[in-house]
Amino acid sequence: MMKRKKIGMLFCLGLLLAITGTATVRSLAVQARVYTAPLVVIDPGHGGADGGAVAPDGTQEKEINLAISLPLADMLRVMGYQVSLTRTTDDMVGGVGSTMRERKVNDTKNRLAQAEQAAITVSIHQNSYPEEYVHGAQVFYPSEGGDEPVAESGRAARIIQKALNSSVNRDKARAELGKNDVFLLRNITCPTVIVECGFMSSREESRKLRNTSYQAKLAGVISKSICKYIEEK
């Protein structure tokens, strides 16, 4: 019985070759290749000796960044994406050097190197301002350059900002903002945005940012926005 089935399969393949030609069969084989999920790089800002902004209670930005990035990565994996985190622990990303400035530059270069093949890179940060009343989540993207990654960064920023405005910025909508004074955004190789999830300098907002439920809410909003961006692309 098995021998008969094999003969039948070979006959069908031969008939297909005779009817369509080798080129068509090769085309069908190409179309049948295993689907490779897009790679999303999540970059929890700061880490290690670089603590970032500090809340009134002493909480450091690096802690909040990682606390949002880890569930964000998990959500994207559930959605079917490949996900790479530039860091998963409280460390700089290979930041070496004799001064903190050198260490931070090397740290950023290492983060950029991990994003070369990504469909999008999302860097998670928290903001700070001298006036405590300032609050809200805002997305930054590269403002200079006419190549595709820059244009796509702006489109991704608009999608994420719109979602953040409807979910966490309800009392005051913010606009996505182009920047050219951030090393990470000046040297991109793929669409890249920085999501400042809130202001550490605001007592009320920093309390929310320390809350695991609020962190999960932010992760959910950002993950859905990333999915929307990639699907539309």
PDB file of all heavy atoms in Angstrom, residues 191-219:
ATOM      1  N   PRO A 191      13.746  51.411  11.716  1.00  0.00           N
ATOM      2  CA  PRO A 191      12.795  52.319  12.372  1.00  0.00           C
ATOM      3  C   PRO A 191      12.963  52.258  13.889  1.00  0.00           C
ATOM      4  O   PRO A 191      12.962  51.176  14.475  1.00  0.00           O
ATOM      5  CB  PRO A 191      11.436  51.780  11.923  1.00  0.00           C
ATOM      6  CG  PRO A 191      11.715  51.125  10.613  1.00  0.00           C
ATOM      7  CD  PRO A 191      13.079  50.522  10.751  1.00  0.00           C
ATOM      8  N   THR A 192      13.131  53.420  14.502  1.00  0.00           N
ATOM      9  CA  THR A 192      13.442  53.478  15.930  1.00  0.00           C
ATOM     10  C   THR A 192      12.690  54.625  16.601  1.00  0.00           C
ATOM     11  O   THR A 192      12.642  55.732  16.070  1.00  0.00           O
ATOM     12  CB  THR A 192      14.957  53.693  16.148  1.00  0.00           C
ATOM     13  OG1 THR A 192      15.680  52.652  15.482  1.00  0.00           O
ATOM     14  CG2 THR A 192      15.314  53.689  17.630  1.00  0.00           C
ATOM     15  N   VAL A 193      12.112  54.336  17.756  1.00  0.00           N
ATOM     16  CA  VAL A 193      11.442  55.376  18.542  1.00  0.00           C
ATOM     17  C   VAL A 193      11.841  55.228  20.005  1.00  0.00           C
ATOM     18  O   VAL A 193      12.235  54.151  20.454  1.00  0.00           O
ATOM     19  CB  VAL A 193       9.904  55.306  18.419  1.00  0.00           C
ATOM     20  CG1 VAL A 193       9.445  55.553  16.996  1.00  0.00           C
ATOM     21  CG2 VAL A 193       9.377  53.964  18.935  1.00  0.00           C
ATOM     22  N   ILE A 194      11.746  56.336  20.718  1.00  0.00           N
ATOM     23  CA  ILE A 194      11.921  56.329  22.165  1.00  0.00           C
ATOM     24  C   ILE A 194      10.564  56.638  22.786  1.00  0.00           C
ATOM     25  O   ILE A 194       9.954  57.657  22.464  1.00  0.00           O
ATOM     26  CB  ILE A 194      12.950  57.377  22.618  1.00  0.00           C
ATOM     27  CG1 ILE A 194      14.337  57.040  22.067  1.00  0.00           C
ATOM     28  CG2 ILE A 194      12.994  57.471  24.140  1.00  0.00           C
ATOM     29  CD1 ILE A 194      15.396  58.097  22.372  1.00  0.00           C
ATOM     30  N   VAL A 195      10.094  55.757  23.651  1.00  0.00           N
ATOM     31  CA  VAL A 195       8.828  55.987  24.337  1.00  0.00           C
ATOM     32  C   VAL A 195       9.127  56.408  25.776  1.00  0.00           C
ATOM     33  O   VAL A 195       9.608  55.617  26.578  1.00  0.00           O
ATOM     34  CB  VAL A 195       7.936  54.727  24.343  1.00  0.00           C
ATOM     35  CG1 VAL A 195       6.615  55.021  25.054  1.00  0.00           C
ATOM     36  CG2 VAL A 195       7.676  54.260  22.914  1.00  0.00           C
ATOM     37  N   GLU A 196       8.880  57.684  26.060  1.00  0.00           N
ATOM     38  CA  GLU A 196       9.004  58.203  27.426  1.00  0.00           C
ATOM     39  C   GLU A 196       7.640  57.970  28.086  1.00  0.00           C
ATOM     40  O   GLU A 196       6.689  58.674  27.825  1.00  0.00           O
ATOM     41  CB  GLU A 196       9.346  59.692  27.402  1.00  0.00           C
ATOM     42  CG  GLU A 196      10.629  60.048  26.656  1.00  0.00           C
ATOM     43  CD  GLU A 196      11.866  59.949  27.541  1.00  0.00           C
ATOM     44  OE1 GLU A 196      11.722  59.559  28.723  1.00  0.00           O
ATOM     45  OE2 GLU A 196      12.968  60.274  27.056  1.00  0.00           O
ATOM     46  N   CYS A 197       7.576  56.944  28.928  1.00  0.00           N
ATOM     47  CA  CYS A 197       6.277  56.476  29.435  1.00  0.00           C
ATOM     48  C   CYS A 197       5.647  57.410  30.472  1.00  0.00           C
ATOM     49  O   CYS A 197       4.459  57.272  30.774  1.00  0.00           O
ATOM     50  CB  CYS A 197       6.432  55.083  30.037  1.00  0.00           C
ATOM     51  SG  CYS A 197       6.978  53.846  28.843  1.00  0.00           S
ATOM     52  N   GLY A 198       6.403  58.311  31.019  1.00  0.00           N
ATOM     53  CA  GLY A 198       5.883  59.240  32.018  1.00  0.00           C
ATOM     54  C   GLY A 198       7.012  60.048  32.609  1.00  0.00           C
ATOM     55  O   GLY A 198       8.174  59.911  32.224  1.00  0.00           O
ATOM     56  N   PHE A 199       6.656  60.909  33.580  1.00  0.00           N
ATOM     57  CA  PHE A 199       7.641  61.790  34.203  1.00  0.00           C
ATOM     58  C   PHE A 199       7.964  61.317  35.615  1.00  0.00           C
ATOM     59  O   PHE A 199       7.094  61.308  36.494  1.00  0.00           O
ATOM     60  CB  PHE A 199       7.118  63.228  34.237  1.00  0.00           C
ATOM     61  CG  PHE A 199       7.253  63.947  32.919  1.00  0.00           C
ATOM     62  CD1 PHE A 199       6.373  63.684  31.885  1.00  0.00           C
ATOM     63  CD2 PHE A 199       8.275  64.859  32.719  1.00  0.00           C
ATOM     64  CE1 PHE A 199       6.502  64.335  30.660  1.00  0.00           C
ATOM     65  CE2 PHE A 199       8.422  65.520  31.506  1.00  0.00           C
ATOM     66  CZ  PHE A 199       7.521  65.252  30.466  1.00  0.00           C
ATOM     67  N   MET A 200       9.220  60.941  35.813  1.00  0.00           N
ATOM     68  CA  MET A 200       9.674  60.555  37.146  1.00  0.00           C
ATOM     69  C   MET A 200       9.600  61.728  38.112  1.00  0.00           C
ATOM     70  O   MET A 200       9.479  61.548  39.329  1.00  0.00           O
ATOM     71  CB  MET A 200      11.119  60.045  37.081  1.00  0.00           C
ATOM     72  CG  MET A 200      11.331  58.825  36.203  1.00  0.00           C
ATOM     73  SD  MET A 200      10.580  57.327  36.871  1.00  0.00           S
ATOM     74  CE  MET A 200      11.688  56.947  38.219  1.00  0.00           C
ATOM     75  N   SER A 201       9.678  62.940  37.598  1.00  0.00           N
ATOM     76  CA  SER A 201       9.673  64.145  38.432  1.00  0.00           C
ATOM     77  C   SER A 201       8.292  64.482  38.981  1.00  0.00           C
ATOM     78  O   SER A 201       8.163  65.308  39.888  1.00  0.00           O
ATOM     79  CB  SER A 201      10.207  65.325  37.620  1.00  0.00           C
ATOM     80  OG  SER A 201       9.565  65.397  36.353  1.00  0.00           O
ATOM     81  N   SER A 202       7.248  63.871  38.447  1.00  0.00           N
ATOM     82  CA  SER A 202       5.885  64.067  38.942  1.00  0.00           C
ATOM     83  C   SER A 202       5.579  63.019  40.011  1.00  0.00           C
ATOM     84  O   SER A 202       5.626  61.820  39.738  1.00  0.00           O
ATOM     85  CB  SER A 202       4.880  63.935  37.793  1.00  0.00           C
ATOM     86  OG  SER A 202       3.565  63.796  38.279  1.00  0.00           O
ATOM     87  N   ARG A 203       5.281  63.464  41.219  1.00  0.00           N
ATOM     88  CA  ARG A 203       5.010  62.517  42.308  1.00  0.00           C
ATOM     89  C   ARG A 203       3.853  61.590  41.957  1.00  0.00           C
ATOM     90  O   ARG A 203       3.922  60.379  42.171  1.00  0.00           O
ATOM     91  CB  ARG A 203       4.703  63.274  43.611  1.00  0.00           C
ATOM     92  CG  ARG A 203       5.897  64.003  44.187  1.00  0.00           C
ATOM     93  CD  ARG A 203       5.546  64.732  45.475  1.00  0.00           C
ATOM     94  NE  ARG A 203       6.660  65.558  45.904  1.00  0.00           N
ATOM     95  CZ  ARG A 203       7.680  65.115  46.645  1.00  0.00           C
ATOM     96  NH1 ARG A 203       7.694  63.858  47.044  1.00  0.00           N
ATOM     97  NH2 ARG A 203       8.676  65.915  46.978  1.00  0.00           N
ATOM     98  N   GLU A 204       2.791  62.177  41.427  1.00  0.00           N
ATOM     99  CA  GLU A 204       1.615  61.365  41.102  1.00  0.00           C
ATOM    100  C   GLU A 204       1.925  60.358  39.993  1.00  0.00           C
ATOM    101  O   GLU A 204       1.582  59.173  40.091  1.00  0.00           O
ATOM    102  CB  GLU A 204       0.465  62.265  40.663  1.00  0.00           C
ATOM    103  CG  GLU A 204      -0.806  61.501  40.325  1.00  0.00           C
ATOM    104  CD  GLU A 204      -1.934  62.397  39.873  1.00  0.00           C
ATOM    105  OE1 GLU A 204      -1.797  63.642  39.970  1.00  0.00           O
ATOM    106  OE2 GLU A 204      -2.961  61.847  39.417  1.00  0.00           O
ATOM    107  N   GLU A 205       2.593  60.821  38.943  1.00  0.00           N
ATOM    108  CA  GLU A 205       2.868  59.909  37.833  1.00  0.00           C
ATOM    109  C   GLU A 205       3.925  58.871  38.206  1.00  0.00           C
ATOM    110  O   GLU A 205       3.831  57.712  37.790  1.00  0.00           O
ATOM    111  CB  GLU A 205       3.312  60.691  36.607  1.00  0.00           C
ATOM    112  CG  GLU A 205       3.338  59.841  35.346  1.00  0.00           C
ATOM    113  CD  GLU A 205       3.198  60.647  34.087  1.00  0.00           C
ATOM    114  OE1 GLU A 205       4.036  61.555  33.861  1.00  0.00           O
ATOM    115  OE2 GLU A 205       2.265  60.381  33.309  1.00  0.00           O
ATOM    116  N   SER A 206       4.923  59.257  38.986  1.00  0.00           N
ATOM    117  CA  SER A 206       5.948  58.285  39.386  1.00  0.00           C
ATOM    118  C   SER A 206       5.349  57.185  40.259  1.00  0.00           C
ATOM    119  O   SER A 206       5.794  56.033  40.214  1.00  0.00           O
ATOM    120  CB  SER A 206       7.108  58.975  40.106  1.00  0.00           C
ATOM    121  OG  SER A 206       6.709  59.530  41.329  1.00  0.00           O
ATOM    122  N   ARG A 207       4.312  57.525  41.035  1.00  0.00           N
ATOM    123  CA  ARG A 207       3.618  56.495  41.827  1.00  0.00           C
ATOM    124  C   ARG A 207       2.946  55.490  40.898  1.00  0.00           C
ATOM    125  O   ARG A 207       2.994  54.278  41.130  1.00  0.00           O
ATOM    126  CB  ARG A 207       2.587  57.131  42.759  1.00  0.00           C
ATOM    127  CG  ARG A 207       3.153  57.643  44.074  1.00  0.00           C
ATOM    128  CD  ARG A 207       2.056  57.877  45.094  1.00  0.00           C
ATOM    129  NE  ARG A 207       1.126  58.912  44.665  1.00  0.00           N
ATOM    130  CZ  ARG A 207       1.257  60.207  44.953  1.00  0.00           C
ATOM    131  NH1 ARG A 207       2.300  60.618  45.669  1.00  0.00           N
ATOM    132  NH2 ARG A 207       0.385  61.084  44.534  1.00  0.00           N
ATOM    133  N   LYS A 208       2.308  56.005  39.847  1.00  0.00           N
ATOM    134  CA  LYS A 208       1.663  55.105  38.890  1.00  0.00           C
ATOM    135  C   LYS A 208       2.692  54.246  38.162  1.00  0.00           C
ATOM    136  O   LYS A 208       2.474  53.049  37.942  1.00  0.00           O
ATOM    137  CB  LYS A 208       0.854  55.921  37.871  1.00  0.00           C
ATOM    138  CG  LYS A 208      -0.390  56.570  38.447  1.00  0.00           C
ATOM    139  CD  LYS A 208      -1.343  57.041  37.366  1.00  0.00           C
ATOM    140  CE  LYS A 208      -0.788  58.169  36.553  1.00  0.00           C
ATOM    141  NZ  LYS A 208      -1.775  58.700  35.574  1.00  0.00           N
ATOM    142  N   LEU A 209       3.810  54.848  37.817  1.00  0.00           N
ATOM    143  CA  LEU A 209       4.835  54.116  37.076  1.00  0.00           C
ATOM    144  C   LEU A 209       5.455  52.989  37.888  1.00  0.00           C
ATOM    145  O   LEU A 209       5.977  52.027  37.334  1.00  0.00           O
ATOM    146  CB  LEU A 209       5.934  55.082  36.613  1.00  0.00           C
ATOM    147  CG  LEU A 209       5.530  56.068  35.510  1.00  0.00           C
ATOM    148  CD1 LEU A 209       6.579  57.162  35.360  1.00  0.00           C
ATOM    149  CD2 LEU A 209       5.314  55.343  34.187  1.00  0.00           C
ATOM    150  N   ARG A 210       5.372  53.092  39.213  1.00  0.00           N
ATOM    151  CA  ARG A 210       5.893  52.024  40.073  1.00  0.00           C
ATOM    152  C   ARG A 210       4.883  50.899  40.265  1.00  0.00           C
ATOM    153  O   ARG A 210       5.221  49.846  40.803  1.00  0.00           O
ATOM    154  CB  ARG A 210       6.293  52.596  41.445  1.00  0.00           C
ATOM    155  CG  ARG A 210       7.451  53.568  41.400  1.00  0.00           C
ATOM    156  CD  ARG A 210       8.018  53.834  42.790  1.00  0.00           C
ATOM    157  NE  ARG A 210       7.027  54.309  43.738  1.00  0.00           N
ATOM    158  CZ  ARG A 210       6.702  55.593  43.913  1.00  0.00           C
ATOM    159  NH1 ARG A 210       7.295  56.531  43.177  1.00  0.00           N
ATOM    160  NH2 ARG A 210       5.802  55.949  44.800  1.00  0.00           N
ATOM    161  N   ASN A 211       3.655  51.113  39.829  1.00  0.00           N
ATOM    162  CA  ASN A 211       2.585  50.141  40.003  1.00  0.00           C
ATOM    163  C   ASN A 211       2.634  49.091  38.889  1.00  0.00           C
ATOM    164  O   ASN A 211       2.644  49.432  37.699  1.00  0.00           O
ATOM    165  CB  ASN A 211       1.233  50.869  39.995  1.00  0.00           C
ATOM    166  CG  ASN A 211       0.076  49.944  40.232  1.00  0.00           C
ATOM    167  OD1 ASN A 211      -0.384  49.271  39.310  1.00  0.00           O
ATOM    168  ND2 ASN A 211      -0.421  49.900  41.453  1.00  0.00           N
ATOM    169  N   THR A 212       2.658  47.817  39.265  1.00  0.00           N
ATOM    170  CA  THR A 212       2.785  46.750  38.265  1.00  0.00           C
ATOM    171  C   THR A 212       1.603  46.704  37.292  1.00  0.00           C
ATOM    172  O   THR A 212       1.783  46.371  36.119  1.00  0.00           O
ATOM    173  CB  THR A 212       2.951  45.378  38.940  1.00  0.00           C
ATOM    174  OG1 THR A 212       1.867  45.173  39.854  1.00  0.00           O
ATOM    175  CG2 THR A 212       4.262  45.306  39.704  1.00  0.00           C
ATOM    176  N   SER A 213       0.412  47.031  37.782  1.00  0.00           N
ATOM    177  CA  SER A 213      -0.756  47.032  36.891  1.00  0.00           C
ATOM    178  C   SER A 213      -0.634  48.129  35.838  1.00  0.00           C
ATOM    179  O   SER A 213      -0.977  47.934  34.666  1.00  0.00           O
ATOM    180  CB  SER A 213      -2.043  47.238  37.704  1.00  0.00           C
ATOM    181  OG  SER A 213      -2.263  46.152  38.566  1.00  0.00           O
ATOM    182  N   TYR A 214      -0.133  49.281  36.249  1.00  0.00           N
ATOM    183  CA  TYR A 214       0.051  50.389  35.311  1.00  0.00           C
ATOM    184  C   TYR A 214       1.168  50.064  34.329  1.00  0.00           C
ATOM    185  O   TYR A 214       1.072  50.378  33.137  1.00  0.00           O
ATOM    186  CB  TYR A 214       0.360  51.676  36.069  1.00  0.00           C
ATOM    187  CG  TYR A 214       0.313  52.922  35.214  1.00  0.00           C
ATOM    188  CD1 TYR A 214      -0.896  53.424  34.750  1.00  0.00           C
ATOM    189  CD2 TYR A 214       1.478  53.595  34.862  1.00  0.00           C
ATOM    190  CE1 TYR A 214      -0.951  54.558  33.955  1.00  0.00           C
ATOM    191  CE2 TYR A 214       1.443  54.728  34.073  1.00  0.00           C
ATOM    192  CZ  TYR A 214       0.227  55.210  33.623  1.00  0.00           C
ATOM    193  OH  TYR A 214       0.181  56.344  32.826  1.00  0.00           O
ATOM    194  N   GLN A 215       2.214  49.422  34.801  1.00  0.00           N
ATOM    195  CA  GLN A 215       3.301  48.999  33.920  1.00  0.00           C
ATOM    196  C   GLN A 215       2.777  48.030  32.858  1.00  0.00           C
ATOM    197  O   GLN A 215       3.129  48.147  31.677  1.00  0.00           O
ATOM    198  CB  GLN A 215       4.411  48.338  34.738  1.00  0.00           C
ATOM    199  CG  GLN A 215       5.152  49.286  35.659  1.00  0.00           C
ATOM    200  CD  GLN A 215       5.979  48.563  36.715  1.00  0.00           C
ATOM    201  OE1 GLN A 215       5.995  47.331  36.777  1.00  0.00           O
ATOM    202  NE2 GLN A 215       6.662  49.327  37.553  1.00  0.00           N
ATOM    203  N   ALA A 216       1.924  47.102  33.284  1.00  0.00           N
ATOM    204  CA  ALA A 216       1.341  46.143  32.344  1.00  0.00           C
ATOM    205  C   ALA A 216       0.424  46.850  31.344  1.00  0.00           C
ATOM    206  O   ALA A 216       0.366  46.479  30.164  1.00  0.00           O
ATOM    207  CB  ALA A 216       0.568  45.068  33.098  1.00  0.00           C
ATOM    208  N   LYS A 217      -0.281  47.879  31.816  1.00  0.00           N
ATOM    209  CA  LYS A 217      -1.153  48.650  30.928  1.00  0.00           C
ATOM    210  C   LYS A 217      -0.335  49.336  29.846  1.00  0.00           C
ATOM    211  O   LYS A 217      -0.685  49.292  28.655  1.00  0.00           O
ATOM    212  CB  LYS A 217      -1.943  49.682  31.731  1.00  0.00           C
ATOM    213  CG  LYS A 217      -2.893  50.523  30.892  1.00  0.00           C
ATOM    214  CD  LYS A 217      -3.680  51.488  31.760  1.00  0.00           C
ATOM    215  CE  LYS A 217      -4.668  52.294  30.925  1.00  0.00           C
ATOM    216  NZ  LYS A 217      -5.476  53.237  31.767  1.00  0.00           N
ATOM    217  N   LEU A 218       0.754  49.971  30.240  1.00  0.00           N
ATOM    218  CA  LEU A 218       1.635  50.625  29.268  1.00  0.00           C
ATOM    219  C   LEU A 218       2.197  49.609  28.283  1.00  0.00           C
ATOM    220  O   LEU A 218       2.225  49.845  27.067  1.00  0.00           O
ATOM    221  CB  LEU A 218       2.779  51.335  29.998  1.00  0.00           C
ATOM    222  CG  LEU A 218       2.419  52.628  30.721  1.00  0.00           C
ATOM    223  CD1 LEU A 218       3.542  53.024  31.690  1.00  0.00           C
ATOM    224  CD2 LEU A 218       2.178  53.758  29.715  1.00  0.00           C
ATOM    225  N   ALA A 219       2.638  48.463  28.799  1.00  0.00           N
ATOM    226  CA  ALA A 219       3.181  47.416  27.938  1.00  0.00           C
ATOM    227  C   ALA A 219       2.137  46.947  26.926  1.00  0.00           C
ATOM    228  O   ALA A 219       2.452  46.716  25.752  1.00  0.00           O
ATOM    229  CB  ALA A 219       3.671  46.245  28.781  1.00  0.00           C
TER     230      ALA A 219
END
